[in-house]
Amino acid sequence: MTIISDLINLNLSDVTDKLVLPDLLSQNLDSKTCLGFHYARIGGSGLDLRSKARTLPGPVNDPSKLPKWNYDGSSTGQAPGQDSEVILCPQAIFRDPFRRGDNILVMCDAYTPAGEPIPTNKRHGAAQIFNNPEVAAEEPWYGIEQEYTLMQKEVNWPVGWPVGGYPGPQGPYYCGVGADKAFARDVVDSHYKACLYAGINISGVNGEVMPAQWEFQVGPAVGITAGDQLWIARYILERITEVAGVRLSLDPKPVTGDWNGAGAHTNYSTKSMRNDGGYEVIKTAIEKLGKRHSEHIAAYGEGNERRLTGKHETANIKTFLWGVANRGASVRVGRDTEKEGKGYFEDRRPASNMDPYVVTSMIAETTILWKP
């Protein structure tokens, strides 16, 4: 049995009591132990993922109880060769869907031997923002819609597409069913189930507008956990595509022309927005985001200008506008939020290759801490 079919048929009965997705604060990992585990981390590009495995003689279920480790930063573009040691600090634990049993995946961030965060460690700065008492009191919730494209391994072209050619035009592929509409669903379904097993609050998956493009949603998740969960979900997806022999692309515009790009729409709310009268808080927050539009765009992913053209369900990168139920806006407010006078909004600007630590913390900093 291949790992893909194995994951699709993965028995979740032993972790069913852990899959309490509506419980936003539920991690419930304390009953799990580990013997072997993977340390996952972000590489020198800020987007690539790296990992190394380690074995411990006894169980560990708290990241603070895991040992720090190190790696050769000169091989990842994160340290010079004459002083190459980079320190890994465990930050979050997830069940390992590949090794299973008591094995775990560990999300780490990286520091110099002197204890300073290295430049690509965006988690450290995000944690400082989320630990600010004003931000913590607002309990910021996030739901991130991660779009991605599955590419043929040997050529830079989507799976299911004729090499050098095109499928039929967009229209039948979004949430589509059928061999001529949905490509590599086995990869998508195995990833979905693996994330559930890992303890990630993955709330759904769907086929996207461009064929071979898919989306999964992480959340609702609170504060820094949104970034931890999305990075581990990306790591799991990379591992599955590795086995499947396809390549994962987070390029925001993988195919030029009349094809949709790939984003990471970020849904957001605070306690004040979720309470009565929250709609006014939402409008004030959106006004703040508009005033810092250029700063956010600069931090929302590489190559985003190829995606945010004003076409294909985007607003032009040079403008900021918001609207109710408007998918061509920079920020969209849902009809239910407008009707109920409270709720959340969706920032549609982040690219598929954005760093969730940067985007989530920046939204919180602008809407809660920043004083225009």
Side-chain angles (χ1 to χ4, degrees):
M1 179 180 289
T2 68
I3 192 170
I4 301 296
S5 60
D6 191 25
L7 285 169
I8 290 174
N9 295 309
L10 182 60
N11 182 4
L12 298 176
S13 60
D14 62 334
V15 296
T16 300
D17 61 319
K18 311 299 181 186
L19 304 179
V20 190
L21 296 182
D23 181 356
L24 302 178
L25 297 177
S26 177
Q27 293 298 321
N28 293 323
L29 296 172
D30 290 345
S31 65
K32 287 290 173 185
T33 59
C34 70
L35 295 176
F37 53 93
H38 269 92
Y39 276 11
R41 65 184 187 277
I42 300 163
S45 72
L47 184 63
D48 59 315
L49 284 156
R50 313 285 179 120
S51 70
K52 57 192 299 187
R54 183 168 182 173
T55 303
L56 290 181
V60 178
N61 54 26
D62 181 343
S64 67
K65 303 289 178 61
L66 288 167
K68 294 180 180 179
W69 209 5
N70 64 75
Y71 66 94
D72 173 17
S74 68
S75 296
T76 62
Q78 293 171 297
Q82 66 271 21
D83 187 15
S84 65
E85 193 167 287
V86 178
I87 308 302
L88 283 172
C89 293
Q91 299 292 353
I93 288 175
F94 300 85
R95 292 183 291 272
D96 186 341
F98 303 103
R99 297 182 175 182
R100 303 178 203 169
D102 292 329
N103 296 292
I104 58 174
L105 301 176
V106 182
M107 188 64 203
C108 302
D109 60 355
Y111 297 80
T112 68
E116 295 296 321
I118 65 172
T120 52
N121 180 357
K122 305 304 181 183
R123 190 187 192 282
H124 179 79
Q128 290 182 315
I129 291 173
F130 286 120
N131 288 334
N132 181 290
E134 287 185 64
V135 176
E138 282 290 350
E139 297 178 8
W141 293 359
Y142 298 91
I144 303 175
E145 304 171 27
Q146 176 68 73
E147 295 177 344
Y148 63 93
T149 310
L150 296 174
M151 312 292 281
Q152 300 174 48
K153 185 178 179 181
E154 293 77 16
V155 294
N156 188 33
W157 207 238
V159 298
W161 291 36
V163 176
Y166 299 88
Q170 294 183 155
Y173 308 108
Y174 175 66
C175 299
V177 177
D180 59 339
K181 304 177 191 69
F183 305 137
R185 189 186 294 276
D186 56 344
V187 171
V188 176
D189 285 351
S190 60
H191 175 251
Y192 190 8
K193 206 160 190 180
C195 286
L196 287 170
Y197 182 92
I200 294 168
N201 277 4
I202 183 168
S203 49
V205 300
N206 62 266
E208 267 304 326
V209 177
M210 189 184 87
Q213 195 174 91
W214 295 83
E215 174 185 298
F216 65 88
Q217 302 95 33
V218 166
V222 181
I224 197 74
T225 63
D228 290 338
Q229 292 194 22
L230 188 66
W231 272 117
I232 288 293
R234 285 175 173 178
Y235 172 80
I236 292 172
L237 184 55
E238 286 273 24
R239 289 280 304 275
I240 291 172
T241 56
E242 173 187 323
V243 175
V246 298
R247 185 171 63 82
L248 170 65
S249 173
L250 296 181
D251 190 311
K253 188 71 173 180
V255 180
T256 59
D258 193 20
W259 302 96
N260 274 36
H265 304 153
T266 302
N267 299 276
Y268 170 72
S269 70
T270 63
K271 181 186 290 186
S272 297
M273 295 175 191
R274 297 187 294 269
N275 289 338
D276 290 343
Y279 196 42
E280 292 303 314
V281 181
I282 287 172
K283 288 192 288 187
T284 298
I286 293 174
E287 182 181 349
K288 286 184 174 183
L289 289 173
K291 290 179 178 178
R292 299 184 77 182
H293 177 63
S294 60
E295 295 174 58
H296 280 255
I297 286 294
Y300 273 17
E302 295 295 324
N304 213 8
E305 72 283 351
R306 293 183 284 115
R307 167 180 162 260
L308 297 180
T309 62
K311 300 178 181 179
H312 304 110
E313 301 180 281
T314 71
N316 188 281
I317 195 169
K318 296 180 180 180
T319 62
F320 180 90
L321 61 95
W322 74 277
V324 177
N326 183 359
R327 296 186 183 277
S330 311
V331 171
R332 180 185 68 88
V333 174
R335 289 288 182 198
D336 287 345
T337 295
E338 180 189 45
K339 181 179 179 180
E340 296 177 12
K342 58 184 177 181
Y344 70 96
F345 64 82
E346 175 192 43
D347 191 337
R348 297 179 57 83
R349 297 172 295 172
S352 52
N353 60 9
M354 62 81 156
D355 187 327
Y357 293 135
V358 173
V359 169
T360 58
S361 62
M362 194 172 191
I363 291 174
E365 195 275 333
T366 294
T367 60
I368 300 173
L369 299 178
W370 184 60
K371 310 299 181 186

